[in-house]
Amino acid sequence: QVQLVESGGGLVKPGGSLRLSCAASGFTLSDHYMSWVRQAPGKGLEWLLYITGSGGAIYDADSVRGRFTISRDNAKNSLYLQINSLRAEDTAVYYCARERTEESRYFDVWGRGTLVTVSS
Amino acid sequence: DIVMTQSPDSLAVSLGERATINCKSSQSVFYSSNNKNYLAWYQHKPGQPPKLLIYWAITRESGVPDRFSGSGSGTDFTLTIGSLQAEDVAVYYCQQYYRTPWTFGQGTKVEIK
């Protein structure tokens, strides 16, 4: 069964850091580009970053550049998101999502998300 | 960045009736070399992950009921739910994957009238 499971969310103070994980099962992670997408309370979906299958290339949105870092460990079939200098506006559910193929860059598998709350 | 704008923001439709959601991109997401529109639709229910419904603007994902259909090209797209069922209550998003950053519409909330 193809599945993504995020973990690592929680309550963190402004300025703090957090590392989110996404465990993949049922498929080979290295075969796919992977992304992180978030949804703030009452808001829509916002794509944040992607990483290629080999991890050799990364693209991040302007809104998170310099604070968010995506990485992967294909041997562990896991994806990560390091978030630094957290702000209240980073409060959101964070989803990892699989891009179908290198040519078909839509998201065909999503995790259930992990909630990050930034508050003092 | 390509801005995706959906309309309406919400709509209420009677069970069995048609629901139509529009999505407009600020620039064309049609790639002439392969004749494809780089546009996807997702369904998002509370407490669940988003679910892929349609890709390439018109291709239904495996397992998605055939009451869901996508149409359009270039900058104007439509998601149609042919006969609304109770389980279709959700927020629907369009997304372009033509050019990074990938961008989503603001979402359209579909409810039962």
Side-chain angles (χ1 to χ4, degrees):
Chain A
Q1 178 188 1
V2 173
Q3 195 172 5
L4 295 169
V5 179
E6 301 92 338
S7 61
L11 176 63
V12 61
K13 289 181 168 53
S17 298
L18 212 53
R19 190 196 196 203
L20 308 182
S21 299
C22 171
S25 59
F27 69 99
T28 302
L29 193 68
S30 59
D31 289 343
H32 296 269
Y33 286 26
M34 297 294 295
S35 280
W36 286 95
V37 177
R38 70 182 176 184
Q39 183 178 36
K43 303 292 186 181
L45 300 171
E46 178 189 14
W47 172 81
L48 301 174
L49 327 87
Y50 80 71
I51 187 169
T52 58
S54 64
I58 291 167
Y59 188 95
D60 50 4
D62 289 346
S63 60
V64 302
R65 191 162 298 141
R67 295 192 303 123
F68 288 27
T69 304
I70 188 172
S71 62
R72 63 195 298 159
D73 184 338
N74 288 335
K76 294 183 177 180
N77 239 28
S78 291
L79 179 74
Y80 306 101
L81 180 64
Q82 177 70 39
I83 314 175
N84 298 326
S85 303
L86 276 155
R87 308 164 179 166
E89 56 264 35
D90 295 320
T91 294
V93 175
Y94 287 74
Y95 297 98
C96 60
R98 187 182 85 169
E99 299 188 13
R100 174 154 280 165
T101 70
E102 191 172 338
E103 298 303 319
S104 303
R105 302 290 302 274
Y106 48 85
F107 307 116
D108 66 339
V109 181
W110 296 69
R112 299 191 72 88
T114 187
L115 176 63
V116 172
T117 303
V118 184
S119 174
S120 55
Chain B
D1 298 2
I2 298 177
V3 177
M4 308 300 290
T5 304
Q6 293 180 225
S7 61
D9 290 333
S10 65
L11 75 160
V13 176
S14 300
L15 288 172
E17 296 300 304
R18 173 174 298 193
T20 301
I21 301 169
N22 300 302
C23 174
K24 188 174 185 66
S25 57
S26 60
Q27 54 189 274
S28 176
V29 298
F30 177 74
Y31 195 35
S32 56
S33 66
N34 61 7
N35 203 37
K36 289 182 175 179
N37 288 282
Y38 285 60
L39 189 285
W41 289 97
Y42 302 88
Q43 176 191 65
H44 195 192
K45 298 180 180 180
Q48 297 186 21
K51 175 185 176 182
L52 176 67
L53 296 176
I54 303 283
Y55 55 93
W56 300 128
I58 59 172
T59 303
R60 197 180 305 114
E61 172 71 339
S62 175
V64 172
D66 61 7
R67 63 180 180 273
F68 292 92
S69 62
S71 63
S73 184
T75 61
D76 292 280
F77 301 91
T78 300
L79 174 71
T80 301
I81 308 174
S83 174
L84 191 74
Q85 304 299 303
E87 61 265 32
D88 301 333
V89 169
V91 178
Y92 293 83
Y93 295 92
C94 60
Q95 178 236 336
Q96 66 80 19
Y97 49 99
Y98 180 83
R99 178 180 297 137
T100 51
W102 311 141
T103 46
F104 293 87
Q106 80 275 19
T108 295
K109 187 175 185 179
V110 174
E111 299 173 308
I112 305 295
K113 184 186 292 182

